């Protein structure tokens, strides 16, 4: 049987989360197809066809899919899913939004956010903010799965060859919702979930302006900037900076937590990082229990010191 | 407009869970249970609708063991009007909960189902999306702002790249994110008043729904522990360790 991967994209490029999802798919079967649903997305289809491990791309290109409205996209996935043993999507907001809607249409109990594939029907997934790991077996005939991208390597983006692209016909606008606007955070820095180094600030930063101190270090290290929920709630930085159980999950080579106490919900999003550094003035802060390197210091002296020491 | 708010009883978010020695799950005995924090945000928003004259009745619905009555009482004390408990001791999966909720929605005909984007026990993030599919309603997930229009809702969604605004035709299923609001505490008089509010108790059988699990939990284990490492006193020392020992710079 073949495995279907839902390709995450913005009609222009394939998102990095797709590459990790393809790797998970190749662990389940050798015939991996990708589904591109979008508008004016021929470039995406041809880029996806080059991903190592993909043997075919199915593409549906029509205006009702321009903004990826789930009410319109879900029927397309549902229509072809029954021909596959597994349907995989990244556990990004794209996959989380779409796949359960498809699962219900197919009467399937989705398995969310897997971190390991044990066999074709058995998976490991974190529960309780990663404080426990559940080994679960799905009994559904088609298995719908979202994949935690940080625990699967990225597939090679350009394998040097191109899988065939097959066009499918569009299914029309369900007229249930419409797109109004995007307010996307623009940044020249690497994406949070794929960056090799992440520097995150918490409530201890005290203001949005003070995050500039972290940005300067990020630019020296080629790092992404993240934040705790408290920093986002306080309006210091936008929502898409949030790392944690209910934000983004990151696992960079180096994670620097600055003025973050280390609540379980925050740890859930970063404790699989290779090396964790904590800078906090409270030596009792729980973040030090998971940090490989701890520096008990006032961040307002430590961060400028770190910046000049990096020169 | 009638509003349905599903609420779930979970281990309190401030408690560090313990995995049972026999690997059968996490310890639920003698552990503080609370309403899932995202459900609280959904209840709060429904009450704000009512206070703004946009909603006339709020029904909280829980599916789970008998003790879920407490969770419903919580919602009633915050300001919901009545409760429905779909009582079962089976560990319900999102698909089953969505089916039970579909049956309730078909009976009650609300204009909106407002619910948490995820429950902090199993972190599935599925039930609202599934319910929307079963009803063939519009869906807004991870919502941090809701504006009620005549025949639609304008919602702001927290997505990976930032924010997205979409217009949802009514009726809708909307799942809420952390920044939608800050839930109120129930006042003592309201807690007293809530005791007299009605809770209807049903079973999955009453609704004609099979809730047999599809996914078997084979084993629950502790994740590998991370140990506290070394302390440094200066930026030079930190950079030295990162370069020469951890080799990540
Ligand atoms: C349902 C739910 C979901 C949640 N999801 C998430 C999530 O996804 N991500 C997340 O991060 N949180 C999440 N939280 C919130 C979480 O519980 C914590 O409240 C939050 O992580 C705290 O953020 P913080 O560490 O920045 O703030 P605090 O806990 O207030 O810690 C601030 C830290 O800064 C230190 N500090 C202050 N000033 C200085 C200084 N000058 N120099 C050095 N150190 C200083 C303090 O010592 C303290 O340790 C969630 C909570 C709930 C209930």
């Amino acid at each position: 049987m073949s495995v279907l991967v839902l390709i995450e994209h913005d009609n222009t490029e394939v998102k990095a989360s797709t590459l990790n999802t393809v790797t998970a798919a190749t662990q389940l079967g050798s015939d991996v197809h990708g589904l591109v649903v979008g508008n004016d997305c021929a470039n995406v289809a041809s880029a996806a066809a080059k991903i190592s491990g993909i043997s075919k791309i199915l593409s549906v290109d029509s205006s009702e899919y321009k903004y990826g409205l789930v009410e319109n996209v879900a029927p397309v996935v549902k229509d072809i899913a029954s021909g596959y043993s597994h349907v995989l999507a990244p556990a990004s907001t794209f996959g989380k939004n779409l796949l359960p809607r498809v699962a219900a249409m197919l009467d399937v109990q989705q398995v969310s956010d897997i971190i390991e594939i044990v066999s074709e029907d058995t998976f490991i997934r974190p529960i309780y903010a990663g404080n426990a790991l559940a080994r679960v077996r799905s009994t559904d005939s088609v298995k719908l799965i979202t994949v935690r991208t940080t625990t699967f390597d990225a597939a090679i983006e350009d394998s040097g060859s191109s899988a065939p692209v097959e066009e499918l016909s569009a299914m029309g606008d369900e007229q249930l919702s419409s797109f109004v606007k995007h307010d996307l955070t623009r940044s020249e820095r690497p994406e949070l979930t794929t960056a090799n180094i992440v520097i995150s600030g918490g409530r201890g930063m005290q203001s949005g302006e003070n995050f500039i101190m972290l940005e300067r270090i990020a630019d020296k290290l080629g790092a992404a900037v993240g934040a705790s929920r408290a920093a986002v709630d306080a309006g210091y930085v936008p929502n898409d900076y949030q790392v944690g159980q209910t934000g983004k999950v990151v696992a960079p080579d180096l994670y620097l937590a600055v003025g973050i106490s280390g609540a379980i919900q925050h740890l859930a999003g970063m404790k699989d990082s290779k090396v964790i550094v904590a800078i906090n003035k409270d030596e009792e802060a729980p973040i030090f229990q998971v940090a490989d390197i701890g520096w008990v210091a006032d961040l307002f002296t430590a961060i400028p010191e770190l910046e000049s020491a990096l020169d | 407009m009638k509003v349905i708010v599903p609420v779930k009883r979970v281990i309190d978010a401030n408690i560090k869970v313990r995995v049972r020695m026999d690997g059968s799950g996490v310890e639920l005995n003698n552990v503080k249970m609370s309403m899932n924090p995202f459900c609280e945000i959904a209840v709060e928003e429904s009450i704000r609708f009512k206070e703004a004259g946009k909603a006339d009745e709020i029904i909280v619905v829980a599916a789970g063991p008998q003790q879920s009555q407490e969770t419903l009482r919580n919602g009633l004390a915050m300001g919901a009007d009545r409760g429905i408990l779909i009582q079962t001791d089976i560990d319900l999966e999102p698909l089953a909960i969505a089916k039970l909720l579909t049956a309730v929605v078909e009976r009650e005909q609300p204009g909106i189902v407002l619910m948490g984007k995820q429950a902090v026990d199993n972190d599935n993030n599925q039930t609202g999306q599934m319910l929307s599919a079963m009803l063939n309603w519009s869906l807004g997930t991870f919502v941090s702002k809701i504006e009620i229009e005549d025949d639609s809702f304008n919602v702001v969604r927290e997505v990976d790249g930032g924010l997205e605004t979409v217009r949802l035709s009514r009726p809708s299923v909307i799942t809420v994110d952390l920044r939608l609001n800050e839930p109120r505490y129930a006042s003592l008089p309201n807690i007293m008043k809530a005791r007299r509010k009605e809770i209807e108790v049903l079973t999955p059988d009453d609704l004609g729904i099979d809730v047999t699990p599809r996914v078997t939990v084979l084993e629950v284990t502790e994740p590998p522990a991370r140990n506290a490492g070394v302390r440094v006193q200066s930026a030079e020392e930190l950079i030295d360790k990162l370069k020469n020992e951890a080799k990540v710079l």
Side-chain angles (χ1 to χ4, degrees):
Chain A
M1 282 280 255
S2 326
V3 180
L4 183 68
V5 172
L6 308 187
I7 308 279
E8 179 170 4
H9 66 90
D10 58 5
N11 294 317
T12 314
E13 5 171 76
V14 174
K15 298 274 172 184
S17 58
T18 300
L19 302 174
N20 312 85
T21 312
V22 168
T23 298
T26 56
Q27 292 178 15
L28 288 163
S30 51
D31 196 19
V32 176
H33 299 178
L35 174 65
V36 177
V37 184
N39 187 214
D40 281 331
C41 56
N43 287 343
V44 173
S46 55
K50 295 197 180 86
I51 298 171
S52 161
I54 292 270
S55 56
K56 181 156 108 182
I57 290 293
L58 305 168
S59 168
V60 192
D61 189 335
S62 185
S63 60
E64 66 266 37
Y65 307 122
K66 179 161 184 191
Y67 298 106
L69 293 169
V70 65
E71 297 87 346
N72 294 342
V73 177
V76 176
V77 184
K78 186 232 161 191
D79 226 38
I80 61 168
S82 45
Y84 293 89
S85 60
H86 301 78
V87 179
L88 269 57
S92 56
T93 52
F94 158 77
K96 288 175 180 170
N97 183 42
L98 171 60
L99 205 62
R101 183 144 171 139
V102 178
M105 294 169 108
L106 293 165
D107 194 28
V108 165
Q109 176 52 57
Q110 173 184 316
V111 182
S112 290
D113 207 15
I114 63 162
I115 58 169
E116 193 181 321
I117 295 166
V118 179
S119 71
E120 56 162 45
D121 64 0
T122 305
F123 313 95
I124 297 182
R125 59 179 303 266
I127 54 174
Y128 289 95
N131 286 302
L133 301 178
R135 190 154 56 87
V136 299
R137 176 182 292 146
S138 161
T139 56
D140 285 307
S141 58
V142 184
K143 292 166 183 55
L144 270 64
I145 296 167
T146 60
V147 173
R148 180 171 289 198
T149 53
T150 52
T151 57
F152 294 88
D153 290 337
I156 295 165
E157 206 172 345
D158 187 351
S159 63
S161 64
S162 232
V165 178
E166 187 182 312
E167 301 280 342
L168 302 180
S169 46
M171 296 180 68
D173 190 339
E174 298 279 325
Q175 312 272 357
L176 288 173
S177 64
S178 53
F179 174 82
V180 179
K181 66 172 175 154
H182 268 148
D183 296 288
L184 299 183
T185 308
R186 305 215 177 275
S187 168
E188 299 298 312
R189 293 188 196 92
E191 215 189 301
L192 195 50
T193 51
T194 51
N196 293 324
I197 303 179
V198 172
I199 180 162
S200 289
R203 200 197 309 269
M205 295 305 297
Q206 288 180 15
S207 74
E209 290 79 65
N210 289 336
F211 261 79
I212 295 169
M213 301 195 303
L214 302 188
E215 288 167 3
R216 283 207 295 263
I217 294 192
D219 292 339
K220 290 210 158 89
L221 297 175
V225 178
S228 70
R229 173 190 172 184
V232 177
D233 283 3
Y236 303 167
V237 287
N239 63 287
D240 53 308
Y241 281 46
Q242 183 178 318
V243 170
Q245 178 186 19
T246 57
K248 286 181 179 157
V249 176
V250 303
D253 291 339
L254 173 59
Y255 187 88
L256 291 123
V258 183
I260 292 179
S261 61
I264 46 177
Q265 293 89 359
H266 188 78
L267 301 185
M270 45 63 82
K271 74 178 159 60
D272 292 330
S273 305
K274 203 165 131 209
V275 176
I276 297 173
V277 172
I279 301 176
N280 196 305
K281 68 176 180 191
D282 172 10
E283 63 174 318
E284 304 289 322
I287 190 77
F288 288 121
Q289 292 163 21
V290 299
D292 301 283
I293 306 177
W295 184 6
V296 180
D298 188 312
L299 71 91
F300 294 101
T301 52
I303 293 300
E305 205 185 298
L306 181 61
E307 192 193 340
S308 47
L310 281 169
D311 283 330
Chain B
M1 180 175 70
K2 209 191 255 189
V3 184
I4 284 189
V5 186
V7 293
K8 189 174 191 189
R9 179 175 181 267
V10 298
I11 294 183
D12 189 273
N14 296 310
I15 292 192
K16 185 167 184 338
V17 299
R18 277 184 307 118
V19 174
R20 286 198 205 111
M21 293 296 279
D22 64 2
S24 62
V26 303
E27 192 52 71
L28 295 171
N29 286 327
N30 297 317
V31 174
K32 183 180 176 208
M33 306 294 284
S34 298
M35 187 190 290
N36 175 43
F38 289 97
C39 304
E40 280 185 332
I41 295 171
V43 174
E44 174 64 36
E45 194 69 9
S46 70
I47 298 166
R48 292 188 189 185
F49 286 177
K50 198 171 171 192
E51 288 168 346
K54 309 260 183 183
D56 35 52
E57 190 184 23
I58 302 165
I59 310 166
V60 281
V61 183
Q66 194 262 332
Q67 297 92 313
S68 302
Q69 293 242 10
E70 293 162 25
T71 315
L72 291 172
R73 290 278 168 221
N74 248 332
L76 297 173
M78 285 175 75
D81 297 295
R82 62 186 166 97
I84 300 174
L85 171 63
I86 308 160
Q87 193 175 322
T88 171
D89 287 326
I90 294 178
D91 209 355
L92 296 172
E93 294 176 337
L95 186 70
I97 299 173
K99 287 177 185 173
L100 296 169
L101 292 173
T102 300
V104 171
V105 167
E106 280 166 355
R107 197 185 77 177
E108 298 287 347
Q109 303 283 320
I112 183 173
V113 179
L114 256 178
M115 54 201 290
K117 75 165 180 178
Q118 80 191 70
V120 297
D121 50 2
N122 290 323
D123 288 330
N124 275 312
N125 201 324
Q126 298 177 4
T127 309
Q129 294 89 316
M130 289 181 157
L131 175 64
S132 78
M134 291 173 187
L135 296 165
N136 197 27
W137 284 9
S138 59
L139 168 67
T141 47
F142 328 136
V143 165
S144 60
K145 188 165 177 223
I146 306 174
E147 282 167 7
I148 305 180
E149 311 277 326
D150 284 342
D151 56 353
S152 65
F153 301 103
N154 266 319
V155 299
V156 177
R157 305 181 54 230
E158 295 201 348
V159 293
D160 285 339
L163 299 172
E164 178 186 275
T165 308
V166 286
R167 191 183 148 278
L168 307 173
S169 343
R170 270 156 80 161
S172 303
V173 176
I174 294 180
T175 79
V176 304
D177 217 317
L178 295 168
R179 272 154 298 268
L180 183 62
N181 61 46
E182 244 190 87
R184 70 193 64 193
Y185 289 102
S187 67
L188 199 56
N190 285 342
I191 294 173
M192 304 303 284
K193 258 205 311 213
R195 293 203 183 140
R196 291 191 303 275
K197 291 182 180 170
E198 177 206 332
I199 293 181
E200 181 186 4
V201 182
L202 302 166
T203 64
D205 279 344
D206 293 338
L207 298 169
I209 286 162
D210 176 7
V211 294
T212 314
R214 306 286 188 81
V215 172
T216 321
V217 178
L218 302 172
E219 191 188 23
V220 174
T221 54
E222 296 253 8
R226 268 198 101 101
N227 295 322
V230 298
R231 294 282 168 102
V232 295
Q233 314 286 343
S234 70
E236 278 73 28
E237 207 186 332
L238 172 61
I239 292 170
D240 176 62
K241 289 221 166 353
L242 292 175
K243 278 197 173 133
N244 301 317
E245 287 173 31
K247 301 198 192 311
V248 287
L249 282 192

